[in-house]
């Protein structure tokens, strides 16, 4: 059996996507394992969950550093020391500089609660509803320096209901997030996909029938 890809998860808060990744990694055939969880916020509730799940955790409080570069140098060292091969940003709400992003080019994933490239940034669900679009969703992508952008690995479409509020939509999108983040991590860690010309493509020599899903369409399909 091939060794599993070593993953470092970065969080800033609740960590529900991190929990979905932890659960996925429990499956014997999952091609990745989490070797460290790092939070830039000491009070992040996700830290406690990770520690109880038996994972090494580390707080690197960005406020304790004089610059972004100084913060990122320590973050990089901690990930390197833990032998991390792939980073999963899971609600990690800190912009990263080009230096860090390039060191981890095509080795850092992020999840965002919209169908990128639409609705990058904060207050996604409010803006989605205000725009009157009919389909919301979420995206897992490789990280580039521009916020919430980079080659798209997996997406889920979540229909908007006439009665939707930002909170209601957020919770349905979050359910989809918990499904596509493990899907996307499996695709990358297994080598099923890789980046060519800044687009995610299927690895050509995959045996026929070995393709895994990279999209998810969430229920309900009909209006409520
Ligand atoms: C998730 O909805 C994630 O998509 C979003 O933050 C939330 C974190 O929740 N990330 C972004 O908006 C990144 N731009 P979680 O801590 O429960 O995973």
């Amino acid at each position: 059996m091939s060794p599993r890809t070593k993953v470092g998860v970065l969080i800033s808060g609740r960590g529900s996507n991190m929990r979905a990744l932890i659960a996925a990694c429990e499956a014997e055939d999952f091609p990745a394992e989490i070797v460290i969880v790092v939070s830039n916020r000491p009070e992040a509730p996700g830290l406690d969950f990770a520690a109880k799940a038996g994972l090494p955790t580390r707080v690197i409080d960005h406020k304790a550093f004089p610059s972004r570069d100084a913060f990122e140098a320590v973050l990089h060292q901690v990930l390197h020391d833990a032998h991390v091969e792939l980073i999963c940003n899971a609600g990690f709400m800190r912009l990263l500089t080009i230096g860090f992003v390039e060191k981890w080019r095509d080795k850092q994933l992020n999840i965002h609660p919209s169908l990128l490239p639409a609705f990058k940034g904060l207050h996604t669900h409010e803006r989605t509803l205000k725009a009157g679009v009919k389909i919301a969703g979420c995206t897992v992508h490789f990280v580039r320096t521009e916020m919430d952008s980079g080659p798209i690995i997996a997406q889920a479409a979540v229909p908007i209901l006439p009665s939707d509020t930002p909170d209601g939509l957020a919770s349905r999108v979050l359910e989809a997030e918990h499904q596509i983040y493990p899907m996307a991590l499996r695709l990358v860690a297994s080598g099923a996909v890789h980046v060519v010309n800044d687009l995610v493509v299927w690895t050509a020599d995959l045996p026929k029938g070995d393709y895994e899903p990279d999209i998810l369409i969430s229920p309900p399909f009909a209006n409520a």
Side-chain angles (χ1 to χ4, degrees):
M1 205 172 100
S2 62
R4 309 209 287 171
T5 303
K6 292 181 171 34
V7 171
V9 180
L10 305 187
I11 63 169
S12 298
R14 175 177 60 182
S16 71
N17 277 291
M18 173 205 72
R19 291 205 300 268
L21 295 176
I22 292 174
C25 288
E26 276 165 10
E28 253 177 43
D29 69 341
F30 199 77
E33 62 176 323
I34 297 169
V35 293
I36 192 164
V37 172
V38 180
S39 173
N40 66 315
R41 297 216 171 100
E43 71 285 1
L47 281 170
D48 200 37
F49 184 94
K52 284 189 177 131
L55 295 171
T57 62
R58 184 76 190 261
V59 173
I60 307 174
D61 186 350
H62 64 274
K63 292 195 195 114
F65 294 87
S67 65
R68 282 186 189 270
D69 284 347
F71 164 72
E72 290 172 2
V74 172
L75 178 58
H76 177 76
Q77 195 58 50
V78 164
L79 295 167
H80 183 262
D81 291 348
H83 306 289
V84 166
E85 298 165 293
L86 205 57
I87 302 173
C88 287
N89 296 357
F92 181 65
M93 306 308 259
R94 187 98 195 125
L95 285 178
L96 295 160
T97 68
I98 188 166
F100 186 91
V101 169
E102 286 305 316
K103 267 190 204 124
W104 292 92
R105 190 180 180 84
D106 300 341
K107 291 183 177 132
Q108 185 175 196
L109 280 56
N110 181 47
I111 187 154
H112 182 72
S114 75
L115 287 173
L116 291 174
F119 306 114
K120 297 172 181 174
L122 297 174
H123 311 298
T124 318
H125 305 292
E126 285 90 332
R127 289 186 292 124
T128 300
L129 289 178
K130 227 175 189 170
V133 297
K134 302 295 181 192
I135 300 176
C138 48
T139 304
V140 181
H141 62 97
F142 285 106
V143 172
R144 294 291 183 264
T145 38
E146 194 198 326
M147 180 183 52
D148 298 324
S149 66
I152 290 169
I153 304 159
Q155 287 189 310
V158 178
I160 289 177
L161 308 178
S163 57
D164 257 335
T165 60
D167 283 352
L169 178 60
S171 73
R172 289 206 321 290
V173 171
L174 194 65
E175 274 177 39
E177 291 183 46
H178 297 163
Q179 294 179 61
I180 63 160
Y181 213 166
M183 259 166 61
L185 176 56
R186 178 186 278 281
L187 289 172
V188 174
S190 66
V193 297
H194 61 280
V195 180
V196 177
N197 296 331
D198 236 27
L199 291 175
V200 172
V201 298
W202 289 89
T203 300
D205 57 2
L206 265 192
K208 233 181 163 192
D210 263 12
Y211 288 85
E212 294 179 54
D214 59 1
I215 57 163
L216 171 84
I217 313 288
S218 288
F221 298 104
N223 286 346

